[in-house]
Amino acid sequence: MTVNLSRQEALELLKKYNKEPFHIQHGLTVEGVMRYFARENGYGEDEEYWGIVGLLHDIDFELYPEQHCSKAPELLREAGVSEEAIYSVCSHGYGLCSDLEPKHPMEKILFACDELTGLIGAAARMRPSKSVMDMELSSLKKKFKDKRFAAGCSREVIKEGAERLGWTLDELLEKTILAMRSCEESILSYEESVDREMGL
């Protein structure tokens, strides 16, 4: 599994097309989650691939929201990204904005976790700690069932993602909380370094 980009090159590419801090943070979160799942599922040798695909999965969303997953191949090819990685990136939009079906376990996990990281992130911001570190499954399940909460995060996609992986919904929710715990500190450190650079 090859991307043809280093991690630093991938981050610079993401920042070339995304200026909103939220979109950068989402890319970093999904990268961290994918790296965690690579290690946990016996794909440690492919962790870099899993992570970089996670980092770049929404590369076209900020500038081309109406062309999400259809503009991405052009942007990624210009940067020399492998066709394998382009397929993986675009498969996360299957059934919504892409006809490329998630096939590899990595692609199925990306499909399942993309929307879910948004839901968990929104739930974390509502907590006194503003963190996933003390988030319990029961608390997340309440937020999941409340369709008005983080309404933009598709519960149907999350459920379909769990089914594609052969996991129960509870398994997917709990594993993704753990995955987000694994990278929360590094993302906060990155945000603090950006704030320092901007003199905030």
Side-chain angles (χ1 to χ4, degrees):
M1 304 182 89
T2 57
V3 184
N4 295 345
L5 283 186
S6 70
R7 195 269 176 181
Q8 186 58 39
E9 288 169 334
L11 180 58
E12 292 306 317
L13 185 62
L14 178 68
K15 288 158 72 176
K16 178 179 178 181
Y17 296 106
N18 292 267
K19 307 302 179 189
E20 289 287 334
F22 173 80
H23 290 140
I24 304 292
Q25 183 197 41
H26 177 63
L28 291 168
T29 300
V30 176
E31 176 196 14
V33 165
M34 294 304 293
R35 287 180 180 277
Y36 172 89
F37 277 117
R39 296 190 299 269
E40 289 295 304
N41 289 277
Y43 293 93
E45 72 280 5
D46 292 319
E47 180 184 328
E48 196 74 355
Y49 181 92
W50 287 51
I52 290 175
V53 169
L55 185 64
L56 295 175
H57 78 285
D58 274 350
I59 187 168
D60 60 359
F61 189 74
E62 185 175 311
L63 290 181
Y64 309 99
E66 300 303 317
Q67 295 172 271
H68 185 37
C69 290
S70 61
K71 188 71 174 177
E74 176 189 331
L75 307 182
L76 295 171
R77 284 188 188 111
E78 281 178 8
V81 175
S82 71
E83 290 300 316
E84 179 181 29
I86 290 171
Y87 184 101
S88 293
V89 164
C90 295
S91 70
H92 88 274
Y94 181 66
L96 299 171
C97 54
S98 170
D99 57 3
L100 301 180
E101 186 171 1
K103 295 175 181 175
H104 189 278
M106 187 231 71
E107 294 162 355
K108 293 178 181 179
I109 287 173
L110 178 59
F111 178 89
C113 291
D114 178 29
E115 297 280 313
L116 182 52
T117 60
L119 181 69
I120 293 173
R125 287 189 291 275
M126 299 290 289
R127 301 179 69 76
S129 66
K130 309 289 186 194
S131 171
V132 293
M133 292 303 182
D134 59 355
M135 184 182 291
E136 299 293 337
L137 175 61
S138 57
S139 169
L140 179 59
K141 285 174 72 174
K142 287 176 187 170
K143 298 293 188 189
F144 186 90
K145 288 174 183 172
D146 180 358
K147 297 291 169 45
R148 293 165 302 173
F149 179 79
C153 300
S154 170
R155 274 63 167 175
E156 294 311 309
V157 167
I158 295 167
K159 288 176 186 173
E160 182 184 337
E163 289 170 12
R164 285 181 175 276
L165 287 163
W167 298 352
T168 66
L169 180 60
D170 279 9
E171 281 179 301
L172 176 61
L173 297 181
E174 190 154 37
K175 288 177 179 181
T176 308
I177 290 172
L178 294 174
M180 287 184 68
R181 284 180 185 170
S182 77
C183 60
E184 182 177 87
E185 187 176 341
S186 65
I187 292 165
L188 287 173
S189 296
Y190 173 83
E191 290 171 346
E192 287 167 2
S193 70
V194 170
D195 287 348
R196 282 195 299 273
E197 285 174 17
M198 296 174 69
L200 299 177

